[in-house]
Amino acid sequence: MDELSARPQRIRRRRFLDYSFGAALAALAGTVLYPVINYLIPPKTKEITHQAVVAGKAGELPSNSGKIFAFEGRPAIVLRTPDGEVRAFTAVCTHLACNVQYRPDLQHIWCACHDGHYDLHGQVLSGPPPRPLVEYKVTLKGEDIIVSRT
Amino acid sequence: MGVRDWLNERLRYEAAQAFLEKKAVPVHRYAVTYYTGGVTLFFFVVQVLTGLLLLMYYRPASDAAFESVRLIIAKVRFGWLVRNIHVWSANAMVGAAVLHLAATFFSRAYRKPRELTWVSGVLLLGVTLAFAFTGYLLPWNTLAYFATKVGTEIAGDVPVIGRALMVLLRGGEDITAATLIRFFGIHVAILPALATVLLGLHLTLVQIHGMSRPISVRVRGEERFYPEFMLRDFIVWVVLLGGLAVVATLWPWPLGEKADPLAPAPAGLRPEWYFLFMYQTLRMIPGRIAGLEGEAVGVTLFALTGLALLLVPFLDCWAQREHKHPLFPALGAAAFAFVLLMTALALVAGM
């Protein structure tokens, strides 16, 4: 008690006011920044929810070749293996999101950006990609190659 | 303490602080006019910040501009707030700039050695109006489309260079997609560059010369600019910011309909309030005056008035000798009354 009353009153009031002022400033900054930060978050664009997409004509895809097409607004790759099987994967490399391509000379999928190699099931053969490519379901309906999510 | 010394060694901010503390603001019965400049600056800062935010989503193309503004209002979080504040603050800035001009004019703060402060200030008012005019078209709605058509048509009435000026403004003979891109470029690049240079000059000159004391007004002493005056400046700004937020929330600025160059002009088309007096004057001027086209005469008169306003410090030779002559306040009051009367007439005619 004695120690408290010995303290100069003015300093304590000054410090209280300083803190109040600081808190008010912080509140003001928060009030301004909250809408600004929210504003900067882009609004969701319409989800493209195609159940199935026609990737191309079966006749246009010879064996040992691949073709990039759009699936749900993102690149996907459809390929025909040297054995004649048709498969489809996402074409976005799992490493740093470059577009992959089919290499007829290597007979597998390759990403040019950092030399990532995937086999014909989308599994990583070598290079930096951490995960395999996601495979899609392929159905052949007449001449059409129809790709959908598995 | 270490950080402070380190910074001070490099930034010499203590020198700036000492300068600010030395700067004094006279205290007298008209001292409240000293806030008008800071208020204008506040609205300008709001315009810069909200304008930068709008740039994140706005698309300056005739087939996308309207939709992008609608996206901002409807889809982007707080987009309506940012857009409404930008529009309201633009109006407030024009008002504040005019108040600041009136305060400076009637206290004769333009006299020696502040002539260039005045000139840069009048030019800044011109830049402000140009900001308002070019910004108005950007949402590409019907009102803006036709208002711009009329506005640029008026620019075409400026003697000798009018026609070329109009084509230069429009980026062709008509208001097209090219006009929109042009106005966008002027609004977000050319005018900000001009404003930065002029504002830099204006504020530097204010620091060099300090606040003007009106002639023969009894000064009751003075107070330090920093921190006393500056803190009160900030309080005014915080109140204005709150006011802007309230107004922008309660009275959203309508977007209108997308411009259709082939549609007939909407009825009751009027410019923004700060251009109403010109609009009304041009409407009342007879078609022909002494063998000249009335519209061209009116526009020429306005151009000359603008020039006279720019040259006020050099024309008012009495104030240069620290002498109060009633001619200039009388002229100013007459001009002010004329603007008010014309605006009122335009408002009445529009109702």
Short mmCIF file of all heavy atoms in Angstrom, two decimals, chain A residues 21 28 32 34-36 38-44, chain B residues 53-54 56-57 72 75-79 82 238 241:
data_model
loop_
_atom_site.label_atom_id
_atom_site.label_comp_id
_atom_site.label_asym_id
_atom_site.label_seq_id
_atom_site.Cartn_x
_atom_site.Cartn_y
_atom_site.Cartn_z
N PHE A 21 -4.68 4.50 -26.13
CA PHE A 21 -4.48 5.09 -27.45
C PHE A 21 -3.99 4.01 -28.42
O PHE A 21 -4.49 3.88 -29.54
CB PHE A 21 -3.47 6.23 -27.35
CG PHE A 21 -3.31 6.99 -28.62
CD1 PHE A 21 -4.38 7.71 -29.15
CD2 PHE A 21 -2.10 6.99 -29.30
CE1 PHE A 21 -4.23 8.41 -30.33
CE2 PHE A 21 -1.95 7.69 -30.49
CZ PHE A 21 -3.02 8.41 -30.99
N LEU A 28 -8.69 0.39 -34.82
CA LEU A 28 -8.97 1.09 -36.07
C LEU A 28 -8.31 0.37 -37.24
O LEU A 28 -8.94 0.13 -38.28
CB LEU A 28 -8.47 2.53 -35.96
CG LEU A 28 -8.67 3.40 -37.20
CD1 LEU A 28 -10.16 3.64 -37.44
CD2 LEU A 28 -7.96 4.73 -37.07
N VAL A 32 -10.11 -1.48 -40.51
CA VAL A 32 -9.85 -1.16 -41.92
C VAL A 32 -9.30 -2.39 -42.65
O VAL A 32 -9.70 -2.68 -43.77
CB VAL A 32 -8.86 0.02 -42.01
CG1 VAL A 32 -8.43 0.24 -43.45
CG2 VAL A 32 -9.49 1.28 -41.46
N TYR A 34 -9.60 -5.63 -41.98
CA TYR A 34 -10.48 -6.81 -42.12
C TYR A 34 -11.20 -6.84 -43.46
O TYR A 34 -11.09 -7.81 -44.21
CB TYR A 34 -11.46 -6.88 -40.95
CG TYR A 34 -12.42 -8.03 -41.06
CD1 TYR A 34 -11.98 -9.34 -40.79
CD2 TYR A 34 -13.73 -7.86 -41.47
CE1 TYR A 34 -12.84 -10.41 -40.92
CE2 TYR A 34 -14.59 -8.93 -41.60
CZ TYR A 34 -14.14 -10.20 -41.32
OH TYR A 34 -14.98 -11.28 -41.46
N PRO A 35 -11.93 -5.75 -43.82
CA PRO A 35 -12.57 -5.80 -45.15
C PRO A 35 -11.56 -5.84 -46.29
O PRO A 35 -11.82 -6.47 -47.31
CB PRO A 35 -13.42 -4.52 -45.19
CG PRO A 35 -13.03 -3.71 -44.04
CD PRO A 35 -12.32 -4.56 -43.07
N VAL A 36 -10.41 -5.14 -46.11
CA VAL A 36 -9.43 -5.09 -47.21
C VAL A 36 -8.90 -6.50 -47.50
O VAL A 36 -8.84 -6.94 -48.65
CB VAL A 36 -8.28 -4.13 -46.86
CG1 VAL A 36 -7.13 -4.29 -47.83
CG2 VAL A 36 -8.78 -2.68 -46.89
N ASN A 38 -10.29 -9.36 -46.73
CA ASN A 38 -11.38 -10.15 -47.29
C ASN A 38 -11.59 -9.84 -48.76
O ASN A 38 -11.87 -10.72 -49.57
CB ASN A 38 -12.66 -9.90 -46.51
CG ASN A 38 -12.83 -10.90 -45.40
OD1 ASN A 38 -13.21 -12.03 -45.63
ND2 ASN A 38 -12.49 -10.48 -44.20
N TYR A 39 -11.47 -8.53 -49.09
CA TYR A 39 -11.69 -8.10 -50.47
C TYR A 39 -10.66 -8.76 -51.39
O TYR A 39 -10.98 -9.12 -52.52
CB TYR A 39 -11.55 -6.58 -50.52
CG TYR A 39 -11.68 -5.98 -51.90
CD1 TYR A 39 -12.92 -5.62 -52.40
CD2 TYR A 39 -10.57 -5.77 -52.70
CE1 TYR A 39 -13.05 -5.06 -53.66
CE2 TYR A 39 -10.69 -5.22 -53.96
CZ TYR A 39 -11.93 -4.86 -54.43
OH TYR A 39 -12.05 -4.31 -55.69
N LEU A 40 -9.44 -8.90 -50.89
CA LEU A 40 -8.37 -9.43 -51.74
C LEU A 40 -8.53 -10.92 -52.03
O LEU A 40 -7.97 -11.43 -52.99
CB LEU A 40 -7.01 -9.16 -51.08
CG LEU A 40 -6.63 -7.68 -51.04
CD1 LEU A 40 -5.33 -7.49 -50.27
CD2 LEU A 40 -6.48 -7.13 -52.45
N ILE A 41 -9.29 -11.63 -51.18
CA ILE A 41 -9.52 -13.05 -51.43
C ILE A 41 -10.47 -13.17 -52.62
O ILE A 41 -11.59 -12.69 -52.55
CB ILE A 41 -10.13 -13.73 -50.19
CG1 ILE A 41 -9.16 -13.60 -49.02
CG2 ILE A 41 -10.45 -15.18 -50.48
CD1 ILE A 41 -9.78 -13.97 -47.68
N PRO A 42 -10.03 -13.77 -53.72
CA PRO A 42 -10.89 -13.79 -54.91
C PRO A 42 -12.15 -14.60 -54.66
O PRO A 42 -12.12 -15.63 -53.97
CB PRO A 42 -10.01 -14.45 -55.97
CG PRO A 42 -8.96 -15.15 -55.22
CD PRO A 42 -8.76 -14.44 -53.94
N PRO A 43 -13.29 -14.14 -55.21
CA PRO A 43 -14.53 -14.90 -55.05
C PRO A 43 -14.44 -16.19 -55.86
O PRO A 43 -13.73 -16.25 -56.86
CB PRO A 43 -15.59 -13.97 -55.62
CG PRO A 43 -14.87 -13.07 -56.54
CD PRO A 43 -13.48 -12.93 -56.01
N LYS A 44 -15.16 -17.20 -55.40
CA LYS A 44 -15.13 -18.50 -56.07
C LYS A 44 -15.73 -18.36 -57.47
O LYS A 44 -16.82 -17.84 -57.63
CB LYS A 44 -15.95 -19.51 -55.27
CG LYS A 44 -15.26 -19.96 -54.01
CD LYS A 44 -15.43 -21.47 -53.82
CE LYS A 44 -14.46 -22.05 -52.81
NZ LYS A 44 -14.12 -21.16 -51.70
N LEU B 53 -7.42 -1.10 -54.82
CA LEU B 53 -8.20 -2.31 -54.56
C LEU B 53 -9.11 -2.63 -55.74
O LEU B 53 -9.21 -3.77 -56.18
CB LEU B 53 -9.02 -2.16 -53.28
CG LEU B 53 -8.23 -2.21 -51.98
CD1 LEU B 53 -9.15 -1.95 -50.79
CD2 LEU B 53 -7.54 -3.55 -51.81
N LEU B 54 -9.76 -1.58 -56.29
CA LEU B 54 -10.68 -1.82 -57.41
C LEU B 54 -9.93 -2.38 -58.61
O LEU B 54 -10.47 -3.18 -59.38
CB LEU B 54 -11.40 -0.53 -57.79
CG LEU B 54 -12.42 -0.03 -56.77
CD1 LEU B 54 -12.95 1.34 -57.15
CD2 LEU B 54 -13.58 -1.02 -56.65
N MET B 56 -7.88 -4.60 -58.67
CA MET B 56 -7.69 -6.05 -58.56
C MET B 56 -8.74 -6.81 -59.37
O MET B 56 -8.51 -7.94 -59.78
CB MET B 56 -7.81 -6.49 -57.10
CG MET B 56 -6.87 -5.79 -56.17
SD MET B 56 -5.27 -6.54 -56.18
CE MET B 56 -4.27 -5.16 -55.71
N TYR B 57 -9.92 -6.21 -59.54
CA TYR B 57 -11.01 -6.93 -60.21
C TYR B 57 -11.54 -6.23 -61.45
O TYR B 57 -12.21 -6.84 -62.26
CB TYR B 57 -12.17 -7.15 -59.23
CG TYR B 57 -11.82 -8.03 -58.06
CD1 TYR B 57 -11.61 -7.51 -56.80
CD2 TYR B 57 -11.66 -9.42 -58.23
CE1 TYR B 57 -11.27 -8.31 -55.73
CE2 TYR B 57 -11.32 -10.22 -57.17
CZ TYR B 57 -11.13 -9.67 -55.92
OH TYR B 57 -10.80 -10.47 -54.86
N ILE B 72 -17.66 -7.02 -58.66
CA ILE B 72 -17.11 -6.41 -57.44
C ILE B 72 -18.23 -6.17 -56.43
O ILE B 72 -18.11 -6.49 -55.25
CB ILE B 72 -16.39 -5.08 -57.78
CG1 ILE B 72 -15.12 -5.36 -58.57
CG2 ILE B 72 -16.09 -4.30 -56.51
CD1 ILE B 72 -14.44 -4.13 -59.10
N LYS B 75 -20.20 -10.12 -55.92
CA LYS B 75 -19.52 -11.36 -55.56
C LYS B 75 -18.33 -11.19 -54.62
O LYS B 75 -18.13 -11.98 -53.71
CB LYS B 75 -19.05 -12.06 -56.84
CG LYS B 75 -20.18 -12.67 -57.65
CD LYS B 75 -20.45 -14.11 -57.19
CE LYS B 75 -21.85 -14.56 -57.56
NZ LYS B 75 -22.13 -14.53 -58.99
N VAL B 76 -17.55 -10.13 -54.86
CA VAL B 76 -16.33 -9.96 -54.07
C VAL B 76 -16.71 -9.54 -52.65
O VAL B 76 -17.56 -8.68 -52.46
CB VAL B 76 -15.43 -8.89 -54.70
CG1 VAL B 76 -14.18 -8.68 -53.87
CG2 VAL B 76 -15.05 -9.30 -56.11
N ARG B 77 -16.07 -10.18 -51.68
CA ARG B 77 -16.37 -9.83 -50.29
C ARG B 77 -16.00 -8.39 -50.01
O ARG B 77 -14.88 -7.96 -50.31
CB ARG B 77 -15.61 -10.76 -49.34
CG ARG B 77 -16.39 -12.01 -49.03
CD ARG B 77 -15.61 -12.86 -48.07
NE ARG B 77 -14.88 -13.88 -48.80
CZ ARG B 77 -14.08 -14.77 -48.21
NH1 ARG B 77 -13.90 -14.72 -46.92
NH2 ARG B 77 -13.48 -15.68 -48.92
N PHE B 78 -16.92 -7.61 -49.46
CA PHE B 78 -16.73 -6.19 -49.17
C PHE B 78 -16.48 -5.36 -50.43
O PHE B 78 -16.09 -4.21 -50.35
CB PHE B 78 -15.61 -5.95 -48.15
CG PHE B 78 -15.93 -6.45 -46.78
CD1 PHE B 78 -15.37 -7.64 -46.32
CD2 PHE B 78 -16.79 -5.76 -45.96
CE1 PHE B 78 -15.68 -8.12 -45.06
CE2 PHE B 78 -17.09 -6.23 -44.70
CZ PHE B 78 -16.54 -7.40 -44.25
N GLY B 79 -16.71 -5.98 -51.59
CA GLY B 79 -16.51 -5.23 -52.84
C GLY B 79 -17.45 -4.04 -52.93
O GLY B 79 -17.06 -2.95 -53.35
N VAL B 82 -15.96 -1.25 -50.85
CA VAL B 82 -14.81 -0.59 -51.48
C VAL B 82 -15.28 0.32 -52.61
O VAL B 82 -14.87 1.48 -52.72
CB VAL B 82 -13.81 -1.64 -52.00
CG1 VAL B 82 -12.70 -0.98 -52.79
CG2 VAL B 82 -13.22 -2.44 -50.84
N VAL B 238 -10.32 10.37 -38.75
CA VAL B 238 -10.98 9.14 -38.26
C VAL B 238 -12.49 9.31 -38.30
O VAL B 238 -13.23 8.41 -38.72
CB VAL B 238 -10.50 8.81 -36.83
CG1 VAL B 238 -11.35 7.70 -36.23
CG2 VAL B 238 -9.04 8.40 -36.84
N LEU B 241 -13.57 9.03 -41.84
CA LEU B 241 -13.52 7.64 -42.29
C LEU B 241 -14.77 6.89 -41.84
O LEU B 241 -15.40 6.17 -42.62
CB LEU B 241 -12.26 6.95 -41.75
CG LEU B 241 -12.04 5.52 -42.19
CD1 LEU B 241 -11.78 5.46 -43.69
CD2 LEU B 241 -10.87 4.88 -41.45
#
